[in-house]
Amino acid sequence: MNIIFFGAPGVGKGTQAAMLAERLAIPHISTGAIFRAAIQSGQELGQKVKHYTDNGLLVPDELTTEIAVSALNEPGCANGFILDGFPRNLGQAEALATALTAAGRTIDRVIYLTAPQAEIVQRMLHRGRVDDNKEVIQRRLEVYDQETSPVLGFYRATSGNVVMEVNGLGEVGEVQERIVAALTQ
Ligand code: AMP
């Protein structure tokens, strides 16, 4: 199954995507995690993206798309994948659609996780990531509203009924069961 996790920063995509990836035995591809690992290990990619991630800005599309698409083309993704944090704007969504079409693949589900903004901000403040201070959180939420949220409309318009809205509030296991149910709906 080819799945996209969609939703605001801090809504729980990373936790839920990791659990589901284990359950379905398919790779979890998080562009944010790839960037953080590259920064931590001092790779050239890390140097290129640090300014953007530190400030809650989107890493340029060309770089991000190349990383996501090459991860999808790995043999491990033959039986499916979970994308988390990609695509994050319309340009990325279109580039992904082109790459998938070229490979004869489609997206089966977009899991749209939701939670009230006040809850999301509290979660991020407790997560303790370097980009989780008040100012950067605010920027990431603005970027989400302006650039990322239109991606939902893209999938609703192009892929019909693949988008499933899932309430992200509650126990981690409870949310996971809602997601699993949404996959077969
Ligand atoms: P995340 O772990 O998904 O919250 O991502 C952390 C940071 O990585 C974001 O604030 C962006 O700076 C960067 N990033 C992750 N995914 C993308 C993407 N698809 N496009 C651009 N930047 C991204």
Side-chain angles (χ1 to χ4, degrees):
M1 213 174 198
N2 303 334
I3 303 165
I4 292 174
F5 267 63
F6 189 84
V11 78
K13 298 187 298 296
T15 304
Q16 293 295 334
M19 283 172 74
L20 187 66
E22 191 159 330
R23 185 165 180 155
L24 301 180
I26 54 177
H28 170 205
I29 301 163
S30 159
T31 41
I34 293 170
F35 293 147
R36 279 188 290 282
I39 293 167
Q40 260 170 17
S41 61
Q43 290 170 45
E44 199 188 324
L45 172 65
Q47 289 160 23
K48 281 190 197 160
V49 304
K50 191 174 180 337
H51 161 78
Y52 300 100
T53 59
D54 277 355
N55 291 290
L57 300 169
L58 294 187
V59 172
D61 285 352
E62 204 184 332
L63 184 57
T64 309
T65 300
E66 208 226 283
I67 285 166
V69 169
S70 63
L72 290 182
N73 288 332
E74 290 289 321
C77 288
N79 294 325
F81 53 79
I82 299 178
L83 275 172
D84 158 18
F86 182 92
R88 236 172 168 107
N89 63 22
L90 286 176
Q92 293 179 10
E94 278 158 11
L96 174 63
T98 303
L100 289 173
T101 303
R105 306 168 91 179
T106 51
I107 293 296
D108 300 304
R109 280 284 180 271
V110 175
I111 298 294
Y112 171 35
L113 267 186
T114 61
Q117 184 151 317
E119 169 77 19
I120 285 174
V121 171
Q122 281 312 309
R123 285 187 191 183
M124 283 193 275
L125 287 171
H126 287 102
R127 199 163 59 171
R129 240 166 59 180
V130 285
D131 55 344
D132 281 341
N133 60 71
K134 272 209 168 113
E135 198 180 303
V136 176
I137 288 172
Q138 196 51 45
R139 172 87 46 71
R140 301 218 309 276
L141 290 171
E142 278 164 25
V143 168
Y144 174 77
D145 282 343
Q146 286 161 20
E147 299 189 50
T148 309
S149 59
V151 171
L152 202 57
F154 174 88
Y155 286 109
R156 286 194 163 126
T158 60
S159 314
N161 46 12
V162 300
V163 178
M164 295 287 154
E165 188 167 334
V166 175
N167 177 4
L169 276 187
E171 292 286 320
V172 169
E174 205 181 306
V175 176
Q176 179 77 188
E177 293 316 314
R178 290 180 201 142
I179 292 169
V180 170
L183 293 179
T184 52
Q185 254 168 32

